[in-house]
Amino acid sequence: MSDIHRAIDAVWRIESARLIAGLARIVGDVGTAEDLAQDALVAALEQWPESGVPRNPGAWLMATAKHRAIDGLRRGKMLERKHEQLGHELQARQEQAVPDLDAALDDHVGDDLLRLIFTACHPVLSTEARVALTLRLLGGLTTQEIARAFLVPEATIAQRIVRAKRTLAEARVPFEVPRGADLDARLSSVLGVIYLIFNEGYSATAGDDWMRPALCEDALRLGRILAELAPAEPEVHGLVALMEIQASRSGARTGPSGEPILLLDQDRARWDQLLIRRGLAALERAEALGGSRGPYALQAAIAACHARARTPGETDWPRIAALYDALAQLAPSPVVELNRAVAVGMAFGPAAGLELVDALSTEPSLKAYHLLPSVRGDLLAKLGRIDEARAEFVRAAELTRNARERTLLLERAAAAQVLTKPVRFDS
Amino acid sequence: MRFMSLYKPGKETTAPPTEQEIATMAKLIDEMTRAGVLISTGGLQHSGKGVKVRKAGEKVTVTDGPFAETKELIAGFAILEAKSKAHAIELARRFLDVVGEGECEIRPMHMAADCAAA
């Protein structure tokens, strides 16, 4: 790629979401807006190598896209309804006699972006369609990049996006920010999509295409953008806090050969203090807004307990146990319950933890979940019940699909075996 | 990808920034923060207020500012999380547009913070 094409690519990443959002408000349809934005990009690719990148590339792209829109209307390719809307919009602008059109646009930018996020994450779409559309429209990713990140063929993503745009048009989803009772449910869909993107990146392993871990950064950027667009929503800050703190550990999560390193075994000097500080600040914002009991804020508060502890021994386990308790009441789930058991085990001793874990042994959704026997094995080992512990680690190793994790678990089983010798020798 | 951009204005002045300059810079910082790309930033005071601490062998010397090599003087920094080097270049271009002139040295930072498995 030449320098100018790289520059155009960079401009596109910065401007595309605002461009599409502004156009969508004018034409009332996200699909049409994206087509127009793409047309403007093609024009830039044709003209900028000759003319250079204009001083205000965003304004150039917007002006070009609007001209295309008007051309399209003249050719009668768009619905009459939209024609009227656009004419009305342009007329209203002229009547306002705003000397600086860009300034007028700027005033709308935040609202438009927020509308675009809510539309891309609309419940009429499947979750995977929401994810693809959000990355494409808000994240500025190409179809090819999304495909690489999610390890699926490019055609699949392309089709998914085309269908999503059609679904939005057919369902006549209005380009707006939901209000009142609707807002909470719709916001939780948006947060869910962003966190899903983050986790997809977070679960990437050493051999993966770099586009996968880059999803963490894309999700963080989206979260940070949303936090400024909807600053009064505590859960947005809760989610940002959670992602910043989780991302702070990414450099410490794997060893030299890519093997996973458990949180308590991580080298805390490798935790990114800049991200931790940002995460703690975001958590404070959530709490100041009265949102300390939201599901994301609670998870962030748990992550913050670990982030604040300079050594594993300094971890405030009673507080973590209490936070998991609150989370379990808010969003009951066996996985949360298992985490609560771990925290209780650390705070109040392995016997108390084991009691909670044993209560989960008949939970059908955890039947094939390797962390259940893994946690149980850990607690048993601490109680000196070594043979039982070893059996649990072996069972966990059989259940995990991750080869590196399996190695780790088998090592723990072997270590438990070694430990049994001195115990028996003593007795 | 995380980058540090070091701003070198190429000359040094003791005059504090004007209200207008402060306002324009605040707007740019706000925009880049809103875009989720600006992670941390700060401006540096005149080099006359700084010192250099050097160690050569076992000998430590402390030299008071101002520093002579005006062209290399750093006046501010920004930590950016950008999608690519080209993205960081475009952000630096916008910054230079606001400050008028000078140079940004853009350096990728080590990856420990990135989600990429080390």
Side-chain angles (χ1 to χ4, degrees):
Chain A
M1 209 173 11
S2 68
D3 281 354
I4 183 79
H5 285 104
R6 268 193 287 269
I8 295 172
D9 185 62
V11 166
W12 180 251
R13 296 214 187 269
I14 296 170
E15 302 292 346
S16 65
R18 287 193 284 190
L19 190 61
I20 294 166
L23 291 164
R25 174 169 46 81
I26 297 172
V27 299
D29 174 61
V30 168
T32 313
E34 205 215 352
D35 291 344
L36 290 167
Q38 287 289 341
D39 285 351
L41 175 64
V42 170
L45 286 166
E46 282 166 5
Q47 294 177 34
W48 293 1
E50 296 270 330
S51 64
V53 177
R55 197 182 156 96
N56 188 341
W60 190 99
L61 288 167
M62 182 55 99
T64 307
K66 276 191 191 160
H67 281 130
R68 299 281 155 133
I70 293 166
D71 287 351
L73 290 170
R74 291 210 178 110
R75 288 197 303 269
K77 280 187 175 172
M78 290 163 122
L79 296 171
E80 192 61 27
R81 187 176 65 86
K82 281 176 190 160
H83 192 168
E84 279 169 22
Q85 267 180 6
L86 184 60
H88 184 72
E89 174 94 17
L90 291 175
Q91 199 185 355
R93 285 266 166 73
Q94 279 154 8
E95 280 167 5
Q96 283 170 349
V98 183
D100 186 356
L101 246 181
D102 290 335
L105 268 174
D106 269 355
D107 289 344
H108 287 286
V109 164
D111 293 345
D112 290 345
L113 275 176
L114 202 51
R115 289 187 186 106
L116 188 60
I117 293 179
F118 275 110
T119 307
C121 298
H122 197 278
V124 76
L125 302 172
S126 69
T127 302
E128 48 186 26
R130 292 178 211 178
V131 166
L133 210 54
T134 300
L135 283 171
R136 166 86 179 211
L137 300 181
L138 277 313
L141 268 68
T142 63
T143 307
Q144 191 204 13
E145 286 170 334
I146 301 169
R148 276 169 53 189
F150 284 87
L151 313 169
V152 292
E154 193 178 338
T156 309
I157 295 292
Q159 207 173 34
R160 203 173 279 171
I161 289 171
V162 167
R163 266 202 224 116
K165 290 195 287 195
R166 197 189 306 144
T167 305
L168 288 174
E170 282 169 3
R172 296 186 176 275
V173 167
F175 188 64
E176 62 184 23
V177 174
R179 288 178 202 289
D182 237 14
L183 180 64
D184 280 352
R186 294 281 305 277
L187 184 64
S188 113
S189 164
V190 172
L191 299 177
V193 166
I194 295 176
Y195 195 41
L196 201 148
I197 293 170
F198 181 85
N199 278 319
E200 192 68 29
Y202 209 58
S203 67
T205 49
D208 282 345
D209 190 303
W210 70 271
M211 276 308 302
R212 270 176 74 66
L215 286 174
C216 283
E217 286 189 25
D218 289 314
L220 261 172
R221 259 193 300 275
L222 287 170
R224 291 169 187 155
I225 290 170
L226 187 62
E228 298 310 319
L229 292 175
E233 293 296 338
E235 273 292 88
V236 178
H237 301 296
L239 173 63
V240 170
L242 178 60
M243 293 192 297
E244 302 264 20
I245 298 176
Q246 281 188 328
S248 78
R249 298 183 203 133
S250 53
R253 289 166 68 223
T254 42
S257 50
E259 72 279 13
I261 301 177
L262 299 174
L263 188 110
L264 295 180
D265 299 328
Q266 288 172 10
D267 174 2
R268 293 180 183 221
R270 292 175 64 94
W271 287 1
D272 188 321
Q273 292 300 323
L274 186 58
L275 291 182
I276 288 177
R277 275 197 299 279
R278 290 180 62 91
L280 295 178
L283 181 59
E284 268 174 36
R285 273 176 96 176
E287 287 170 349
L289 290 163
S292 58
R293 296 279 120 173
Y296 289 109
L298 280 172
Q299 292 174 75
I302 293 164
C305 284
H306 293 297
R308 287 193 193 100
R310 289 278 161 187
T311 62
E314 288 170 49
T315 312
D316 187 351
W317 287 108
R319 177 161 163 76
I320 294 179
L323 289 164
Y324 270 120
D325 199 39
L327 193 60
Q329 285 173 33
L330 191 72
S333 105
V335 173
V336 169
E337 199 55 26
L338 185 60
N339 279 306
R340 186 166 81 90
V342 173
V344 165
M346 295 299 285
F348 309 112
L354 190 62
E355 202 176 312
L356 292 176
V357 171
D358 285 346
L360 288 168
S361 61
T362 54
E363 174 60 47
S365 66
L366 293 184
K367 221 176 138 194
Y369 190 49
H370 67 279
L371 284 182
L372 181 63
S374 165
V375 165
R376 193 160 187 274
D378 190 54
L379 292 165
L380 286 166
K382 281 178 182 152
L383 287 167
R385 291 159 66 177
I386 301 302
D387 287 338
E388 290 168 88
R390 194 173 54 240
E392 292 289 359
F393 287 134
V394 170
R395 201 159 80 84
E398 282 163 5
L399 287 173
T400 184
R401 285 189 209 133
N402 184 315
R404 291 206 171 94
E405 206 156 16
R406 186 174 307 124
T407 311
L408 193 73
L409 285 161
L410 289 173
E411 274 170 20
R412 296 199 73 186
Q417 205 158 18
V418 172
L419 273 178
T420 56
K421 284 176 188 163
V423 171
R424 280 180 189 159
F425 188 77
D426 287 346
S427 60
Chain B
M1 282 190 251
R2 192 179 284 184
F3 297 88
M4 177 171 268
S5 173
L6 298 165
Y7 170 52
K8 300 173 183 177
K11 55 179 193 247
E12 190 166 53
T13 166
T14 47
T18 66
E19 290 284 321
Q20 174 66 33
E21 283 166 346
I22 291 171
T24 325
M25 187 50 61
K27 185 169 179 281
L28 182 75
I29 288 173
D30 182 57
E31 261 177 39
M32 289 197 186
T33 305
R34 281 171 187 277
V37 290
L38 181 63
I39 303 309
S40 181
T41 184
L44 309 187
Q45 295 188 23
H46 185 258
S47 77
K49 296 187 178 180
V51 289
K52 278 191 179 175
V53 185
R54 278 201 193 86
K55 183 164 183 275
E58 289 308 305
K59 191 171 156 35
V60 175
T61 49
V62 177
T63 319
D64 284 326
F67 309 135
E69 59 279 22
T70 325
K71 278 194 109 144
E72 287 303 310
L73 284 182
I74 297 162
F77 76 93
I79 295 178
L80 304 165
E81 273 183 8
K83 191 78 190 168
S84 60
K85 192 187 268 184
H87 188 185
I89 292 171
E90 178 61 22
L91 295 171
R93 198 185 66 82
R94 289 175 187 213
F95 167 80
L96 290 171
D97 237 16
V98 167
V99 293
E101 58 180 10
E103 146 186 320
C104 283
E105 177 178 331
I106 296 172
R107 305 274 296 271
M109 293 177 72
H110 278 299
M111 293 282 287
D114 287 271
C115 288

